């Protein structure tokens, strides 16, 4: 399995592409490094929510870093394509806190200000 794959893909958002990031190819060490990168970049958060399916694994790795002394929700996903899942999760959780930050491992396009991409391709790489 390769991280970068070519083919005909339809994403959760319904977007279509001839290539994709397949985060299932990442090793346990890769996920540990990504977790550390996120913790260093985001600092503190009280709760983490993972967008199914890709963000769920990462959310579990981030749970030990939750800090009940702060009021900040972290929404996490592996790949940002259209952002629809992230926006939906933000809307669904706005009543819990005003401080919401999102993080994605890979971004296929620019993200809104509230979402931090670890790696991004920039504009219109769908």
């Amino acid at each position: 399995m390769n991280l970068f794959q070519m083919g005909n893909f339809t994403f959760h958002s319904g977007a279509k592409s001839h290539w994709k990031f397949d985060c299932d190819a990442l090793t346990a060490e890769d996920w540990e490094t990504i977790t550390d990168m996120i913790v260093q970049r985001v600092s503190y958060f009280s709760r983490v929510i993972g967008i199914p399916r890709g963000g769920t694994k990462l959310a579990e790795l981030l749970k030990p870093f939750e800090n009940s002394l702060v009021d900040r929700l972290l929404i996490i996903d592996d790949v940002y394509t259209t952002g629809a899942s992230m926006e939906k999760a933000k809307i669904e959780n706005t009543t819990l806190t005003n401080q919401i930050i999102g993080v994605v491992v890979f971004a296929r396009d620019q993200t809104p200000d509230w979402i931090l991409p670890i790696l991004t391709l920039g504009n219109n790489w769908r």
Side-chain angles (χ1 to χ4, degrees), residues 84-114:
S85 296
M86 295 287 285
E87 292 293 339
K88 180 181 177 193
K90 182 181 179 189
I91 291 166
E92 289 173 349
N93 290 284
T94 300
T95 57
L96 299 176
T97 180
N98 289 329
Q99 293 187 28
I100 297 177
I101 188 167
V103 174
V104 294
V105 178
F106 296 102
R108 295 175 64 99
D109 204 344
Q110 284 189 315
T111 58
D113 290 341
W114 70 276

Side-chain angles (χ1 to χ4, degrees), residues 60-90:
E60 288 302 315
L61 293 170
L62 288 162
K63 284 224 180 272
F65 299 96
E66 291 177 334
N67 182 339
S68 62
L69 299 177
V70 296
D71 182 24
R72 183 187 227 190
L73 174 65
L74 175 61
I75 300 174
I76 194 85
D77 203 358
D78 59 347
V79 180
Y80 178 96
T81 303
T82 65
S85 296
M86 295 287 285
E87 292 293 339
K88 180 181 177 193
K90 182 181 179 189

